[in-house]
Amino acid sequence: ILLAVLTNALLHLVLTAQAMQTTNLMITVLGSGMLLMSRRWMAFVVVVVMVGWGATAAVFWNGPEWIHFGFALLSSCVVGALVHEARLRFVQRFLRMRHQQRSQRHALRERETSFAAIVDRNDDAILVLDRVGHVLYENPSAQALRARHPDLLDGVFEVQATVSGVSTEIRIERDDGSEGTAEVWIAVTEWDGSGALLVTIRDVTDRKRAEPE
C-alpha cells in the first residue's frame, strides 16, 4: 500500500509538472513517519521522495515556486523522520516495560509457588486467622493437628488475639498418639490486604525432654 501511494504521488507530480503537487509527497512522508515501524523503510521513503522530487524539479523547474515546495518537502522529511523515531522509541520502551512486567509476574509466581511448597511441607503447623478467629489458611500439618484437636485454637486465640510476637505452650496429641508439648507463636500480619494473625505451632516435646530438670 505504501509503495502504491508513493508511486502515485510521484507520477502525479511528474505528469502535472506542478510544484504544488509536492504536497502529496509531503503527506506521504508524514504519514509514513506516523505509521511505519521500520527505520529502513522510513529511510527508503525519504530517499525515494527526495530523489524523485529532485529529478522532477530539475526537468520542470520554471520558477521560485519549486524552491518553496522543495523547502517544505525537506521540512516534512525531517519532521516525519523525527515523529517516526519518537514513535519507534516509545513503542520499544513500552514493549520492554511489558516484557519486564511479564518477567516480574513470572518470577513472583515462581516465588509464591516455592514458598507455598515450603510451607506445605513444613512440619510446623502454620495457620492464618482473621481478627475473629476464622481460619483463612492452614498447611497440611495444621490440618492434621486440628483434626486431633478441634478446639485447638479456642483458648490460644482468646488470650493472644491482640498481642504480636508472643508465644505460649499447649499440650497436644502427637502423631504417634502420645501426649506432647507444643509451642505456639502468634504474630500480627496481613492477608489479602486485611489484618490477620499468623499462628505457628511447633512440637517441642523432644526438646523439653532433653532439657535438664
Side-chain angles (χ1 to χ4, degrees):
I1 295 176
L2 174 62
L3 291 176
V5 172
L6 182 59
T7 301
N8 180 70
L10 286 171
L11 286 176
H12 198 63
L13 177 65
V14 172
L15 294 176
T16 60
Q18 295 178 356
M20 64 181 301
Q21 298 303 324
T22 303
T23 53
N24 293 326
L25 294 175
M26 294 165 57
I27 293 172
T28 301
V29 171
L30 292 173
S32 299
M34 290 185 289
L35 297 177
L36 291 178
M37 294 300 298
S38 168
R39 290 188 177 93
R40 291 183 179 180
W41 273 104
M42 188 62 199
F44 171 79
V45 170
V46 171
V47 170
V48 170
V49 165
M50 293 304 297
V51 171
W53 183 89
T56 304
V59 174
F60 299 107
W61 188 286
N62 57 7
E65 189 179 27
W66 285 92
I67 297 178
H68 167 72
F69 280 101
F71 180 77
L73 179 61
L74 179 60
S75 300
S76 298
C77 288
V78 173
V79 172
L82 291 176
V83 170
H84 174 264
E85 186 65 22
R87 282 187 62 255
L88 203 59
R89 292 189 179 186
F90 173 79
V91 171
Q92 290 174 342
R93 189 180 302 113
F94 175 77
L95 293 176
R96 282 197 299 269
M97 290 176 59
R98 288 291 300 274
H99 177 71
Q100 291 174 354
Q101 290 174 351
R102 286 196 295 268
S103 299
Q104 290 171 354
R105 286 196 296 268
H106 179 70
L108 179 59
R109 285 195 296 268
E110 286 188 339
R111 287 196 296 270
E112 289 176 345
T113 300
S114 299
F115 177 76
I118 292 172
V119 172
D120 286 346
R121 296 170 185 170
N122 200 310
D123 290 335
D124 293 348
I126 299 175
L127 306 95
V128 178
L129 311 178
D130 64 15
R131 289 295 188 175
V132 295
H134 296 145
V135 176
L136 303 176
Y137 168 82
E138 57 184 345
N139 68 350
S141 295
Q143 292 174 357
L145 185 59
R146 289 215 307 143
R148 297 193 298 270
H149 299 275
D151 58 349
L152 176 69
L153 299 176
D154 292 350
V156 174
F157 180 80
E158 291 175 2
V159 174
Q160 309 287 354
T162 60
V163 184
S164 176
V166 296
S167 66
T168 188
E169 291 183 358
I170 60 174
R171 304 300 295 175
I172 61 170
E173 179 184 336
R174 308 181 74 191
D175 292 340
D176 59 6
S178 62
E179 187 176 281
T181 303
E183 191 174 63
V184 181
W185 281 89
I186 298 181
V188 175
T189 185
E190 285 192 3
W191 186 267
D192 289 338
S194 301
L197 295 175
L198 175 64
V199 181
T200 304
I201 304 174
R202 172 172 297 179
D203 187 339
V204 294
T205 305
D206 294 335
R207 190 189 72 191
K208 288 289 185 179
R209 290 173 179 172
E211 291 179 353
E213 296 294 337

